[in-house]
Amino acid sequence: MKFYVTTPIYYVNDRPHIGHVYTTTIADIVARYHRLCGDDVFFLTGTDEHAAKVVESAAQRGLTPQQWADQNAQAFQETFKKLGIANDDFIRTSEDRHKTKVQQYVGELLQSGDVYLGEYEGWYDAGQEEYLPENKAKEYEFKSPFNGKPLVRKAEKNYFFRLSRYAEPLLQRIADQPDFIQPNERRNEVVNRIREGLNDVPISRTGAGDWGIKVPGDDAHTIYVWIDALINYLSTVDTPERSKYWPADVHLLAKDILWFHAVIWPAMLLALKRPLPAHVYAHGFWISEGQKMSKSLGNFIDLERIDRYVADYGLDALRYYLASNGPLAANDSDFAEAKFIEVYNTDLANELGNLVNRALSMLNRYRQGVVPQTTTADLRAEAEKTFTVYRTSMDKLDLTGALAEVRLFVIRANRYVEENAPWKLAKAPEQAARLDAVLYNLLEAVRLISVALLPVMPTIAGQMRTQLGVGEFTGKLPEELAWGRLPAGTKIGTVAPLFPKKV
Ligand code: ME8
């Protein structure tokens, strides 16, 4: 099966921060999971470059917009590479392969009458480059909900997209497929807003100079950055080799940009007569030490801090924390350093690291490091339940739920050690077969946990496998999550702590 997952394409004007790293890491985990299941995966991320802010910032630095975009796009690419993100492509909207497709699709929409030339007057949020509907402008007291600056009354001749045509088809789609927009809270918000009515939306602006994509046949108009940006998901795979990936299986993003992804983009696709993505998933926001992250507070968890966590605790610990404690559901999550350290010490060092270390050390001590035969499968039923829940959770993007389930199994396996006290069994020769069984069951639990953790902590899971002597993972995840695949006679590798304890 094919599986196509996307992240938002990030504004090149900003430096990468924990928010960008989060969505991209979640997408990476989902992509790795599907690859391990044997799917033909395409994972796309990239940068959104045609915003007016890019022209301003470039000018302030004496650079061309392209030079400034090049620098910053590179920063995003390097960051993602450093953080182990295995994306299949990185789309930049200033690339020709994207620009030609945008013109092609907008041309199709002009032909079909879904895009037309009209006049628009409304309340404009210059920072966000978007018009707010009259009722929203009023609700926010004619100030930007994002930066508090006054909205501007603006009139212009524009090309419009006939969004008003698509309220019913969109509502129908959401009714037919309730998990199209996730989580549920977000779907309800979108449905309520569509029911308030949809106006046509301007999709071009004038006076933008050369930075941006022109409306085909009318060089005075530049295609509005949001329309240009949304198209990346399709333009990148609209080639003979990649067309098999469309429609996307999931667009991942945060709640701030859900409207564009759940309403405007699907309506554009309906107008283009292209299939709609299967899911639009809008997670919540990270806040920082209890406060909203903002430029004015200067409290972004930025790259310097991220680098420090990676240096001190390892990249996989950061990935685990993001996935297990992040705002995947409707609520926001607090990124607090103390919490991060607590999760490292508890879930990783005390629970997982300890389990692996004691299981392998006891095998060395009592069986010269060779996996024995077993006569009972004490943990089998629990393993089967754990990994069934794990898989259904991963399949529906509930990474937090999947990891919570794995953690319970780690705790269970540690308790199994206490219950069976192998150190006592080792003293009684008539208990030799029982000790064999206990050791086997423990090591098989460790193997299963390593398989489940591969998408989230690829390096740690790899180390677990090396220490266990089972080598690099080459199988398929669903099969490898079945009980009893650890061969008796396996000679384990060198045992070393996975998570050095921190204070
Ligand atoms: O909106 N917590 O780009 P952007 C979690 N270019 N995620 C966060 C976050 C936070 N505090 N802050 C940002 C744009 N994000 C457009 C998108 S797509 C066709 C065009 C993440 O650079 C989250 O994924 O502002 C959010 O949706 C995205 O960054 C916004 O990135």
Side-chain angles (χ1 to χ4, degrees):
M1 275 216 305
K2 70 90 187 169
F3 185 82
Y4 177 22
V5 53
T6 69
T7 73
I9 51 172
Y10 304 109
Y11 285 129
V12 267
N13 236 20
D14 281 338
R15 307 264 307 140
H17 62 67
I18 197 76
H20 311 126
V21 167
Y22 177 65
T23 314
T24 313
T25 299
I26 295 302
D28 183 67
I29 293 171
V30 172
R32 283 175 193 262
Y33 169 75
H34 279 274
R35 279 190 208 112
L36 290 163
C37 288
D39 289 342
D40 174 7
V41 171
F42 193 73
F43 164 22
L44 180 66
T45 187
T47 40
D48 181 358
E49 308 192 352
H50 289 136
K53 285 181 273 192
V54 172
V55 181
E56 285 164 33
S57 313
Q60 283 162 13
R61 292 168 174 82
L63 298 172
T64 64
Q66 187 68 58
Q67 287 169 328
W68 174 237
D70 287 350
Q71 273 184 20
N72 289 357
Q74 201 185 343
F76 274 94
Q77 274 165 302
E78 282 168 3
T79 300
F80 292 158
K81 191 153 182 227
K82 196 167 64 180
L83 296 177
I85 305 296
N87 49 305
D88 294 293
D89 199 351
F90 188 97
I91 183 72
R92 299 184 51 193
T93 53
S94 62
E95 291 176 88
D96 283 340
R97 60 172 173 150
H98 172 73
K99 295 198 279 194
T100 51
K101 292 287 177 193
V102 172
Q103 288 205 316
Q104 178 196 319
Y105 306 143
V106 173
E108 284 174 33
L109 296 175
L110 278 162
Q111 282 277 318
S112 68
D114 281 290
V115 165
Y116 64 93
L117 188 63
E119 189 159 88
Y120 188 81
E121 194 184 332
W123 294 106
Y124 188 71
D125 182 338
Q128 286 297 105
E129 299 192 36
E130 73 173 318
Y131 280 93
L132 268 79
E134 195 68 36
N135 60 344
K136 289 279 158 202
K138 207 178 259 167
E139 187 182 321
Y140 296 124
E141 296 171 347
F142 303 98
K143 289 195 190 102
S144 165
F146 294 93
N147 59 18
K149 293 199 182 140
L151 301 173
V152 215
R153 191 75 189 165
K154 213 169 138 175
E156 49 183 326
K157 227 179 170 64
N158 273 323
Y159 285 90
F160 282 80
F161 172 56
R162 258 185 234 285
L163 183 62
S164 56
R165 264 186 190 168
Y166 293 99
E168 277 315 310
L170 286 171
L171 287 171
Q172 191 58 50
R173 162 75 187 214
I174 299 167
D176 291 347
Q177 199 205 318
D179 63 357
F180 173 52
I181 301 170
Q182 290 174 293
N184 289 344
E185 291 86 340
R186 298 280 103 84
R187 178 192 59 225
N188 298 340
E189 288 165 16
V190 170
V191 167
N192 291 337
R193 212 174 136 188
I194 300 177
R195 289 211 179 107
E196 287 171 15
L198 294 180
N199 296 323
D200 292 352
V201 287
I203 63 145
S204 72
R205 59 199 169 100
T206 49
D210 282 339
W211 190 240
I213 307 173
K214 303 291 179 200
V215 171
D218 191 346
D219 274 359
H221 286 264
T222 301
I223 295 165
Y224 173 47
V225 64
W226 261 106
I227 299 298
D228 162 356
L230 288 165
I231 287 175
N232 89 87
Y233 302 128
L234 180 60
S235 69
T236 310
V237 296
D238 196 1
T239 66
E241 312 77 59
R242 287 176 171 179
S243 60
K244 63 178 173 186
Y245 292 117
W246 191 261
D249 291 84
V250 56
H251 291 318
L252 262 176
L253 40 127
K255 58 187 180 181
D256 55 338
I257 56 176
L258 179 59
W259 184 252
F260 292 99
H261 285 83
V263 175
I264 297 183
W265 176 230
M268 283 168 66
L269 288 167
L270 287 171
L272 288 166
K273 305 205 166 23
R274 303 272 188 157
L276 302 196
H279 305 289
V280 174
Y281 191 105
H283 60 71
F285 260 49
W286 279 106
I287 58 171
S288 168
E289 309 287 346
Q291 278 188 314
K292 193 180 158 167
M293 290 189 280
S294 73
K295 285 213 176 96
S296 52
L297 288 172
N299 63 342
F300 278 101
I301 300 195
D302 57 14
L303 274 188
E304 286 65 38
R305 234 167 105 191
I306 294 169
D307 284 345
R308 177 160 65 78
Y309 291 135
V310 171
D312 290 353
Y313 299 90
L315 173 57
D316 280 7
L318 179 68
R319 289 171 64 96
Y320 178 86
Y321 180 70
L322 293 177
S324 60
N325 283 267
L328 254 188
N331 295 335
D332 292 348
S333 293
D334 188 17
F335 196 117
E337 181 154 319
K339 176 76 185 163
F340 173 70
I341 296 171
E342 183 196 315
V343 168
Y344 177 89
N345 281 331
T346 307
D347 300 24
L348 298 180
N350 289 347
E351 294 170 2
L352 177 61
N354 188 29
L355 173 69
V356 175
N357 202 264
R358 67 210 294 213
L360 295 174
S361 303
M362 288 190 295
L363 192 73
N364 272 336
R365 200 169 314 132
Y366 305 132
R367 292 293 179 263
Q368 290 73 50
V370 179
V371 176
Q373 295 281 351
T374 185
T375 41
T376 62
D378 297 340
L379 294 170
R380 178 179 189 147
E382 280 143 307
E384 281 168 359
K385 180 199 149 264
T386 299
F387 298 110
T388 304
V389 175
Y390 165 86
R391 287 201 56 213
T392 40
S393 305
M394 291 296 281
D395 286 337
K396 56 174 199 222
L397 286 175
D398 179 10
L399 275 51
T400 314
L403 287 175
E405 199 65 26
V406 174
R407 182 176 171 212
L408 286 179
F409 187 63
V410 171
I411 294 172
R412 172 69 191 102
N414 271 319
R415 206 169 63 235
Y416 180 77
V417 177
E418 305 302 327
E419 286 165 2
N420 288 283
W423 45 92
K424 285 190 193 151
L425 296 174
K427 288 193 188 128
E430 73 283 7
Q431 295 282 13
R434 180 63 197 150
L435 180 57
D436 281 351
V438 170
L439 290 172
Y440 182 92
N441 290 328
L442 264 178
L443 293 160
E444 174 60 352
V446 169
R447 185 194 66 83
L448 287 164
I449 292 161
S450 80
V451 175
L453 291 178
L454 271 166
V456 183
M457 299 200 282
T459 306
I460 290 290
Q463 287 168 358
M464 286 171 70
R465 299 182 63 82
T466 310
Q467 296 193 22
L468 198 53
V470 292
E472 207 173 315
F473 186 87
T474 50
K476 296 237 168 85
L477 187 139
E479 285 132 48
E480 293 290 331
L481 283 179
W483 178 271
R485 294 195 137 225
L486 175 65
T490 303
K491 175 89 180 83
I492 63 167
T494 311
V495 183
L498 293 170
F499 303 99
K501 189 97 188 250
K502 305 275 174 178
V503 276

